[in-house]
Amino acid sequence: MKETPYFSDVPDSVITAVNLANRNQLKIQPDDILNITLQTTDPLATANLNNISGANTMTSSTNTTSGQYLIGGGQNAIGSDGVGFLVDSLGELNLPIFGRIKLSEMSTDSARNFLQKKADKLYKNATVNVRFVNMKIGVLGEVNRPGYFYMGNEKNTILDALLMAGDMTIYGKRKNVLLLRDSAGVMTMHRFNMDSKDMLTSQYFYLKQRDVIYVEPNKARIQGLNSPVYTKVGLAVSILTLLVLVWTRIDNN
């Protein structure tokens, strides 16, 4: 019971305030997939965008008063929602309207502002939006639903990831949760103690794209799987199954 709860250092029936870690905006990196949309209320621009989108992409959406050009699709449509551009190894993208541009090390806000200035020179009342398509987090080990999870926004914490994975099982080691982060070919590993509120102040509390969380099994799980009793029970069941199979065949004959 002592190993199961989270934040056991928070006193009962007491309001405890903790200043969360500072969240740095995610930076665009090589191999990221971006969804970029350009919207305008100019009917003439709408018609032009329709022509461009028909020639360069597979996805566009318009109505009678406004146009939306999804800068994506075609051969580069490899995101989870089918629309997105892969940032190459140089941190660059080749966009149909803006040409070849470098967005690596920019936040999505900075990239939006950068592209907005370019769009303002080409279209009237244009609006540019930029977001990650591949904002996915991996969770494996002693959780109820291990796997990759696509997060709906850029502000995600280790608690959000564990919730997506159905929480840790009773056998998860709560004092030693491991976070693996690949940054420019360097793997950073950080351990969390989910038993302490101090994890809320860690610089790794907020997740980045492609982070992986590993929940180690505790001693009860390891000892249970390797115990002589477990092994003997498994052997006994196997022998019993074999005897039943042999008896059934003899009886049928």
Side-chain angles (χ1 to χ4, degrees), residues 165-229:
D167 200 6
M168 284 187 263
T169 70
I170 196 68
Y171 299 108
K173 188 181 291 186
R174 282 150 172 76
K175 293 185 178 181
N176 205 22
V177 176
L178 182 65
L179 171 70
L180 298 95
R181 175 171 295 168
D182 183 359
S183 179
V186 178
M187 183 65 73
T188 302
M189 292 171 280
H190 178 76
R191 294 190 182 273
F192 284 97
N193 180 5
M194 305 296 292
D195 192 36
S196 172
K197 63 180 181 296
D198 291 341
M199 57 91 63
L200 301 173
T201 64
S202 169
Q203 62 175 318
Y204 296 96
F205 178 63
Y206 288 102
L207 302 177
K208 293 186 177 182
Q209 62 272 45
R210 299 187 296 278
D211 278 355
V212 175
I213 297 167
Y214 171 57
V215 180
E216 295 184 26
N218 59 22
K219 292 182 179 180
R221 166 67 82 181
I222 297 172
Q223 292 174 353
L225 292 176
N226 295 310
S227 68
V229 174

Side-chain angles (χ1 to χ4, degrees), residues 38-39 46 49-50 53 59-63 66-70:
L38 172 61
Q39 298 172 305
T46 298
L49 289 175
N50 286 338
S53 63
T59 308
S60 64
S61 175
T62 62
N63 56 42
S66 65
Q68 175 174 301
Y69 177 43
L70 301 181

Side-chain angles (χ1 to χ4, degrees), residues 22-37:
N22 293 326
R23 184 179 74 89
N24 296 321
Q25 286 189 306
L26 300 181
K27 298 298 178 65
I28 297 170
Q29 302 293 331
D31 296 326
D32 278 340
I33 303 170
L34 300 179
N35 172 269
I36 305 174
T37 62

Side-chain angles (χ1 to χ4, degrees), residues 224-250:
L225 292 176
N226 295 310
S227 68
V229 174
Y230 184 89
T231 303
K232 290 179 180 179
V233 169
L235 180 61
V237 171
S238 298
I239 294 173
L240 181 60
T241 302
L242 178 60
L243 290 175
V244 170
L245 179 62
V246 172
W247 176 261
T248 302
R249 289 188 176 183
I250 293 174

Side-chain angles (χ1 to χ4, degrees), residues 89-126:
S89 60
L90 300 177
E92 298 179 347
L93 305 93
N94 189 17
L95 301 179
I97 294 178
F98 302 120
R100 191 165 185 83
I101 56 175
K102 185 170 183 177
L103 297 181
S104 64
E105 297 304 322
M106 292 187 186
S107 66
T108 51
D109 287 343
S110 298
R112 181 176 62 249
N113 293 334
F114 176 74
L115 295 176
Q116 182 68 59
K117 293 179 180 178
K118 290 182 173 292
D120 290 340
K121 297 178 181 179
L122 299 173
Y123 302 106
K124 181 180 179 181
N125 299 324

